[in-house]
Amino acid sequence: MPAENAAHVLMVCDYSLRYLGGAQTAFIRQAQALAGEGVKVVVLAPDADALASDGIITVSPPRRGTIPVLDLPLLGRARDLEPLVAATIRRHRIGAVVVHSEFALAAAAIDVARQLGLPSMHTVHTFFWRAPAALAPFAPVVARVHSALTGIRSGGRFTGSHPLNNALRTMTLRIAERADIVLSPSKHQATALRNAGAGRVEAFSNVAQPLQVAPAPDGGPLRLLWVARFAPEKRVEVALDAMRLVIDRLGEGRVHLDVAGGTHRPVPGVTFHGPVPGGRVGELMDAADAALITSLGFDNQPMVALEAFAHGRPVIVSDPVLATEFGDAALGTPSPDAEGLADLIVRLEADRSLLAAPREAAVAYASERVASAHVARLLELAASI
């Protein structure tokens, strides 16, 4: 890799950047962090123009439709996308390729990088794909579609769950096997990927926003915030059921839960704000004592956790693995169900001092993952290949 190209990075994603899920948010923040640190960044993704930012060049591949149910842009087969990837790399004198997805565009980018002798890194946002067991008969279809799109017909196979989960996790594994380095935002997912045979896997956090620490709320009810996609694996119902139990025990007015996203439901002590922009999430975070993460066995490094930490707010987690991952910045529930969450909320309402040490740990966690540190480590990894 020529020295003058070393700080030219191509970032690739198969997902539309107009829909801001966790993967897209992490992708955009990384692109902005790289550009902010003086790295030339080229983004190749559907609807890349949504990422309008100084120092970032955007390229949107032609779109042929959308895969139903998944809401995944259909871009064609990897072999048909390779000329676009190669031309983009040559035109912009790219020195390293970072992909954030598992489909045709990511496969094309990794293959072209290998052909041109460039380092490639694959960021895995979840290896813990989960689908209802009732949909297991669709596993062969998922495998065939992924193979047709990526051109990958052999490689490792995940076998630790029901057939559809296995097929989904095999998708991720087979892309990961082809990259020079697999980047996992969490240590626990890195371990799972290594155990599955993904090759060189590095635990490498997503980018935390610049610190925007607000003073802790002074008086009033204990305020909690739930922010996530309204998908079954995020388990919003656990948070709502816990609030019903809390209100039964304490009465109204002592604990309040704000929910960003979704539609209003008649749950005491809960305000549904519907879809909100990022700035509004920050305002809700500043007003909260802590954020809730109620997923179990699914999340890798939820972006809402980094958002909370940057605002000096700890997270309350139902998943004991996430509690370990985030250390003192997280408060784990005694059990992963609504009863366990309610028990912890009642304790915190009675003694707000229990939040003091986690608040300090949250700020420390975010401080170690700001843009400058992230970019320096990413370039160091690319240079090690």
Side-chain angles (χ1 to χ4, degrees), residues 15 19 21-24 70 102 124-132 161-162 165 168-169 171-172 184-186 188-190 192-193 226-236 293-304 317-323 325-326 336:
Y15 307 128
Y19 171 75
Q24 291 95 325
L70 297 177
E102 290 82 17
V124 177
H125 289 289
T126 184
F127 187 51
F128 308 120
W129 297 94
R130 182 182 299 170
S161 186
H162 68 65
N165 285 353
L168 292 169
R169 297 177 195 187
M171 289 187 329
T172 299
S184 171
S186 69
H188 70 275
Q189 182 183 254
L193 285 162
W226 191 97
V227 184
R229 289 180 297 109
F230 268 61
E233 59 269 18
K234 296 296 186 177
R235 302 201 317 157
V236 69
I293 299 175
T294 47
S295 62
L296 180 64
F298 173 79
D299 274 313
N300 160 34
Q301 187 193 53
M303 290 303 292
V304 67
V317 296
S318 298
D319 190 333
V321 175
L322 287 183
E325 185 74 41
F326 294 135

Side-chain angles (χ1 to χ4, degrees), residues 223-313:
R223 295 194 73 95
L224 306 172
L225 176 63
W226 191 97
V227 184
R229 289 180 297 109
F230 268 61
E233 59 269 18
K234 296 296 186 177
R235 302 201 317 157
V236 69
E237 293 298 337
V238 170
L240 301 181
D241 288 344
M243 282 301 297
R244 293 183 181 99
L245 293 171
V246 168
I247 298 300
D248 284 346
R249 296 185 201 177
L250 302 180
E252 294 195 42
R254 293 172 63 179
V255 177
H256 189 87
L257 172 65
D258 289 296
V259 176
T263 56
H264 176 73
R265 307 180 201 181
V267 181
V270 180
T271 299
F272 288 85
H273 294 267
V276 296
R280 178 59 179 147
V281 171
E283 292 172 0
L284 291 170
M285 199 69 77
D286 287 343
D289 289 282
L292 298 184
I293 299 175
T294 47
S295 62
L296 180 64
F298 173 79
D299 274 313
N300 160 34
Q301 187 193 53
M303 290 303 292
V304 67
L306 288 180
E307 177 95 4
F309 298 156
H311 285 260
R313 301 297 183 260

Side-chain angles (χ1 to χ4, degrees), residues 162-201:
H162 68 65
L164 184 52
N165 285 353
N166 291 343
L168 292 169
R169 297 177 195 187
T170 294
M171 289 187 329
T172 299
L173 178 60
R174 289 192 172 177
I175 295 291
E177 289 175 327
R178 284 157 173 77
D180 292 311
I181 300 179
V182 181
L183 304 177
S184 171
S186 69
K187 294 177 182 177
H188 70 275
Q189 182 183 254
T191 298
L193 285 162
R194 289 189 197 102
N195 291 343
R200 180 180 172 185
V201 183

